[in-house]
Amino acid sequence: MILNKIFKNSLLILVACLVLTACATKKEATTAISGQMQGDVYTGTDSVKYLADGVPDRVFFATNESVLTTASRETLRSQAAWLRKNSSINVVLEGHADERGTREYNLALGERRANSAKDYLMTYGISSNRISVLSYGKERPVDAGSSPLAWSKNRRSVTVKAN
């Protein structure tokens, strides 16, 4: 009887400790990531470079997606406006993926992402002759970490001047 009571109390204390520890850890992780992600798409600015003054060079994608987000379309509209003003500039659209998945899958996904950006630039009057597409898949991560934030930074298409 006494042994049963000790066992129940010990189990209750252990469960309470685990619940409190899990809650504290969860809150810290959510706060650190939420300022740089919307859903699972990167929205921060620490890994963004510039194609030209005030024109970001990259757009970000959701996991396993090549569909442009609203923020990505805004960035590509800025790129298209800059490219129309600088008609002698050609660009390469580099498609990237995060570390998860096979090499073949990520190369294909990176190509779909770069082509998605190319198609959007073309709808704003940029000739396909000025745009090349290249996929690196998971081979060139901007963040080598293995976390949701690192993965979201690596799911991108980057516009690079070719000349």
Side-chain angles (χ1 to χ4, degrees):
M1 178 86 161
I2 295 176
L3 188 61
N4 191 18
K5 194 173 187 179
I6 293 173
F7 178 73
K8 283 183 182 180
N9 287 340
S10 297
L11 186 61
L12 183 62
I13 291 171
L14 180 63
V15 169
C17 289
L18 287 173
V19 168
L20 291 174
T21 303
C23 291
T25 304
K26 182 78 171 170
K27 287 180 184 177
E28 289 175 21
T30 302
T31 303
I33 293 174
S34 65
Q36 295 184 348
M37 293 178 63
Q38 183 175 356
D40 72 342
V41 179
Y42 180 72
T43 58
T45 57
D46 62 320
S47 73
V48 176
K49 309 290 185 251
Y50 289 92
L51 180 65
D53 188 32
V55 181
D57 71 340
R58 61 197 65 200
V59 295
F60 298 94
F61 295 88
T63 304
N64 296 324
E65 293 289 335
S66 59
V67 177
L68 296 169
T69 64
T70 302
S72 295
R73 289 190 298 269
E74 289 175 21
T75 297
L76 290 169
R77 280 193 294 273
S78 296
Q79 289 181 8
W82 183 81
L83 286 167
R84 281 193 305 273
K85 291 177 186 173
N86 297 277
S87 58
S88 64
I89 302 287
N90 294 333
V91 294
V92 176
L93 294 173
E94 300 175 344
H96 300 270
D98 63 40
E99 67 182 14
R100 300 169 297 168
T102 65
R103 183 176 189 273
E104 294 78 17
Y105 175 81
N106 284 323
L107 283 169
L109 181 57
E111 186 171 353
R112 286 194 306 274
R113 288 174 174 164
N115 277 317
S116 182
K118 177 181 179 178
D119 292 344
Y120 198 80
L121 288 172
M122 289 171 52
T123 64
Y124 279 86
I126 307 305
S127 169
S128 65
N129 296 335
R130 296 178 59 197
I131 307 169
S132 299
V133 169
L134 178 62
S135 177
Y136 288 109
K138 62 183 178 180
E139 304 303 319
R140 292 191 175 181
V142 74
D143 187 329
S146 290
S147 68
L149 180 58
W151 296 329
S152 67
K153 289 180 183 181
N154 293 328
R155 294 189 302 263
R156 68 198 190 283
S157 174
V158 181
T159 305
V160 179
K161 292 179 196 175
N163 57 350

